Amino acid sequence: MPIGAVIEFTSITKKFGQVTAVNDLSFTVEPGRVTGFLGPNGAGKTTTLRMLLGLVAPTSGTATFGGLRYRDLPRPLHTVGAALEAASFHPGRTAAHHLGVYAIAAGLPRTRVTEVLHTVGLADHATQRVGGYSLGMRQRLGLAYSLLGDPGVLVLDEPINGLDPEGIKWIRGFLSSMAAEGRTVLVSSHLLSEVQQSVDDVIIIAKGELVHSGPLSSLDTNIAPQVIVDSPNRDALIAALTEAGLPFTSGRTGLIVAVPDPGLVGHVAFTAGVELNVLHRQKAGLEDSFLALVEGGDSL
Amino acid sequence: MNLILRPVAAEFSKILTTRMWWILALVLFGYITLLAGGLAALFGGLESGAISPDAVNTGGGSGSLTGLGSLPPLIYSFASSVGYVFPVLLGALATTGEFRHQTLTPTFLATPKRGRVLGAKTIALFVVGAALGVVGLAASVGVGALVLSSFGVDPLLADGETWALIGRTVLAMALWAVIGVGLGVLVPSQVASIVIVLAFTQFVEPLLRFAATFTEVTADIGKFLPGAASDALVGASFFTLTSPGSAVLTSWQGGLVLLAYGLVAAVGGYFISWKRDVT
Ligand SMILES: Nc1ncnc2c1ncn2[C@@H]1O[C@H](COP(=O)(O)OP(=O)(O)OP(=O)(O)O)[C@@H](O)[C@H]1O
Ligand SMILES: [Mg+2]
């Protein structure tokens, strides 16, 4: 049973000329858990993961697996499996040959090729040229590559992109089961909702900087709940809220009042003699919480 | 030992699992068969009198050419003097393909020591280049000797010197593939690389070599051109025969110059493109 190593980023920074893609990022990723690495487009997720894997040289700082840089790992594919977003295949090679090349390079038995193709559901397409693969099939092949060495650490960049609903359901379960076996699983995404069901921890970055890290539940407390209220006479309700000095905005289903207590809103309406037909408390979703954290972080 | 053997085996696998190698081998064989077979028939015909010299306008050169008794080696050397573009192309495609298809990512993940990967590629292409040499020779010697002997010209196959030439041709083709690898890392754009290979081998270098023969000084420089070095290594070529008096390197000097081109390009390319960020 492979045991996952701790991934550790220490003050890692990457500048592409004038552009600072990643700025002084430090965090750790624990084994036995699925960690979501989240951020909007251009936040620096791919750059960070490529630095971790030794593909991009950091401007400063380090990224290690159990204290070792990727290039110092004695048997890299046995320790870390990675699938990055770009499709990295020669279109004229079959899936089995593609994996076979790297199995040879890593000194892995050829039987692993058949096994991982089976795991990701590509066994029937093993001898097909990758040039004819769909986006989802390429995504699966990338995942198959990451599993070749049966590694204790999985690093996946946007693995859900392009998968069909069945594939998404499968990969969620798969990631959880990998973590349950004691492996370290780091998965990036630009959508929290995409990974929300399977991640235990979240690391959120925006504009190359860390904005939040902790268990998924820690996102819950970040945004105060709100009250949704509506009246058959909405103008009167607006007047009453303004009179009472409660901040609100207009929503599709009523007015959204930025206070946590529905009783307070009910009392204001009651004293102003306004009839209500909607009054309830709404907890902001995790996605809202995520968006609030990365707000203004959209570099695109 | 596994540290270099595995990457070398992986590089072989990369070449053999795509179609390019046998397409190039096939075209090489066809091209050299046509040239070597055709010229063997022409000169063999002249030599044996089957074709009257008046029937061909060779500007008087044919008399001395056929009189040299060097017809078989000349024909046999087509494998490298004309065919060298094929190993260069295969080497350049092997490297530029990694950039083009972004396979550097899985490659460097499996073997993070990048210098080792480039070394492995160089070794693998050296061997595959030698194999292309054998294919080219199968055409130039196989077909050439057949045609020559059919005109009653001795194909010199019992001659040790012929077999030494065959060996040097294989070495030249292997070195050309290494030059291709070097070019591919110097110019990672596949299209640019192919254009450079074709333009240089088919136009620029032949013109330079011809122009260099005009003065002694330029001839001394011209003999270091890769094509000239290759012909020097092999020891016979249509070009050197038709440009008499031009300075040539000795065989082993030619081999070293060729090797130097390949290694300098590969080391330069390592710094220019190979150790760069893979994004
Ligand atoms: N090779 C490069 N040269 C210059 N700038 C780059 C390069 N690669 C990335 N960048 C810049 O670095 C920043 C971060 O890019 P990165 O690809 O890491 O973002 P990301 O979080 O993966 O985004 P996405 O969700 O779109 O995949 C962007 O501003 C991008 O333009
Ligand atoms: Mg990305």
Side-chain angles (χ1 to χ4, degrees):
Chain A
M1 176 80 33
I3 300 299
V6 175
I7 302 174
E8 189 163 12
F9 291 89
T10 314
S11 305
I12 203 154
T13 297
K14 179 64 185 182
K15 294 190 172 123
F16 291 107
Q18 295 297 313
V19 183
T20 302
V22 176
N23 189 18
D24 196 26
L25 206 54
S26 300
F27 61 91
T28 55
V29 181
E30 299 294 331
R33 302 173 74 80
V34 179
T35 302
F37 184 39
L38 308 168
N41 293 133
K45 303 181 295 293
T46 302
T47 305
T48 305
L49 297 183
R50 284 189 174 268
M51 287 193 283
L52 173 64
L53 298 164
L55 296 167
V56 165
T59 307
S60 61
T62 56
T64 56
F65 299 87
L68 288 177
R69 286 177 307 176
Y70 189 84
R71 80 171 108 112
D72 296 326
L73 294 172
R75 300 198 303 167
L77 287 199
H78 293 77
T79 315
V80 181
L84 294 160
E85 67 185 334
S88 308
F89 317 106
H90 189 297
R93 215 170 263 141
T94 68
H97 282 148
H98 168 75
L99 296 175
V101 164
Y102 305 107
I104 294 171
L108 290 160
R110 296 300 278 268
T111 49
R112 280 302 293 162
V113 171
T114 323
E115 283 168 24
V116 296
L117 282 171
H118 193 265
T119 307
V120 302
L122 284 178
D124 293 343
H125 303 277
T127 55
Q128 189 181 330
R129 287 207 186 86
V130 181
Y133 268 32
S134 70
L135 174 61
M137 289 162 80
R138 285 164 197 244
Q139 195 70 271
R140 284 167 192 260
L141 181 55
L143 187 64
Y145 174 74
S146 73
L147 300 175
L148 262 184
D150 193 20
V153 179
L154 276 182
V155 177
L156 311 175
D157 195 10
E158 314 248 4
I160 291 172
N161 259 358
L163 291 185
D164 52 24
E166 198 189 333
I168 293 176
K169 189 168 168 234
W170 170 78
I171 198 168
R172 282 178 178 153
F174 181 74
L175 295 179
S176 300
S177 70
M178 295 301 271
E181 290 171 11
R183 301 180 212 238
T184 311
V185 183
L186 180 60
V187 196
S188 85
S189 176
H190 53 269
L191 280 176
L192 174 64
S193 56
E194 214 174 52
V195 294
Q196 186 176 331
Q197 295 173 34
S198 44
V199 301
D200 304 301
D201 292 331
V202 287
I203 311 284
I204 300 174
I205 62 167
K207 284 183 173 165
E209 301 194 10
L210 186 70
V211 293
H212 183 87
S213 76
L216 183 65
S217 57
S218 66
L219 276 183
D220 253 349
T221 54
N222 264 307
I223 281 196
Q226 304 160 323
V227 172
I228 309 290
V229 63
D230 210 357
S231 160
N233 183 355
R234 199 183 271 193
D235 290 338
L237 178 60
I238 289 174
L241 291 174
T242 314
E243 175 79 4
L246 297 183
F248 65 92
T249 53
S250 293
R252 195 166 39 82
T253 55
L255 302 175
I256 304 161
V257 190
V259 294
D261 180 13
L264 176 62
V265 179
H267 179 74
V268 165
F270 178 74
T271 46
V274 179
E275 179 189 349
L276 296 183
N277 53 9
V278 174
L279 176 63
H280 65 89
R281 186 172 150 172
Q282 174 176 287
K283 217 169 82 176
L286 290 177
E287 194 70 38
D288 296 316
S289 179
F290 168 60
L291 286 175
L293 280 169
V294 300
E295 195 174 283
D298 281 86
S299 28
L300 293 185
Chain B
M1 208 46 204
N2 277 335
L3 292 182
I4 190 69
L5 277 186
R6 278 180 191 151
V8 170
E11 292 301 326
F12 275 123
S13 175
K14 280 180 191 171
I15 295 165
L16 297 177
T17 52
T18 50
R19 286 170 288 189
M20 194 50 72
W21 70 273
W22 62 258
I23 292 175
L24 285 178
L26 218 63
V27 176
L28 169 68
F29 186 84
Y31 188 36
I32 302 300
T33 296
L34 268 171
L35 271 177
L39 279 155
L42 176 63
F43 291 132
L46 288 170
E47 184 97 344
S48 66
I51 301 172
S52 130
D54 306 330
V56 195
N57 181 12
T58 49
S62 73
S64 59
L65 201 61
T66 53
L68 283 173
S70 59
L71 192 49
L74 173 66
I75 304 270
Y76 300 162
S77 71
F78 276 129
S80 62
S81 66
V82 176
Y84 73 104
V85 63
F86 291 87
V88 186
L89 271 181
L90 193 64
L93 288 172
T95 4
T96 55
E98 299 263 19
F99 290 94
R100 170 152 179 230
H101 303 299
Q102 301 179 335
T103 41
L104 284 179
T105 293
T107 296
F108 290 158
L109 286 179
T111 315
K113 302 278 197 294
R114 299 189 183 183
R116 202 174 281 166
V117 178
L118 191 55
K121 205 179 266 299
T122 305
I123 294 170
L125 262 297
F126 181 88
V127 175
V128 175
L132 280 181
V134 172
V135 171
L137 285 162
S140 70
V141 179
V143 176
L146 214 67
V147 174
L148 284 176
S149 49
S150 76
F151 280 99
V153 179
D154 179 8
L156 301 178
L157 286 183
D159 192 335
E161 179 49 33
T162 300
W163 289 97
L165 175 118
I166 287 174
R168 295 194 302 267
T169 303
V170 170
L171 176 62
M173 294 289 268
L175 291 172
W176 277 111
V178 172
I179 291 179
V181 170
L183 176 71
V185 273
L186 274 183
V187 186
S189 153
Q190 191 156 74
V191 174
S193 240
I194 293 173
V195 168
I196 289 173
V197 170
L198 294 180
F200 190 81
T201 60
Q202 306 307 302
F203 304 106
V204 179
E205 187 178 39
L207 281 177
L208 282 178
R209 281 178 73 182
F210 180 63
T213 58
F214 289 158
T215 76
E216 231 165 82
V217 181
T218 51
D220 274 343
I221 301 170
K223 68 185 177 185
F224 288 104
L225 283 166
S230 173
D231 288 344
L233 165 61
V234 172
S237 117
F238 189 72
F239 199 98
T240 42
L241 265 180
T242 50
S243 319
S246 68
V248 283
L249 298 169
T250 63
S251 187
W252 65 269
Q253 282 172 333
L256 284 182
V257 168
L258 216 51
L259 178 66
Y261 272 111
L263 293 186
V264 167
V267 170
Y270 173 79
F271 290 103
I272 286 177
S273 68
W274 201 252
K275 66 189 279 279
R276 284 256 167 117
D277 289 345
V278 182
T279 56

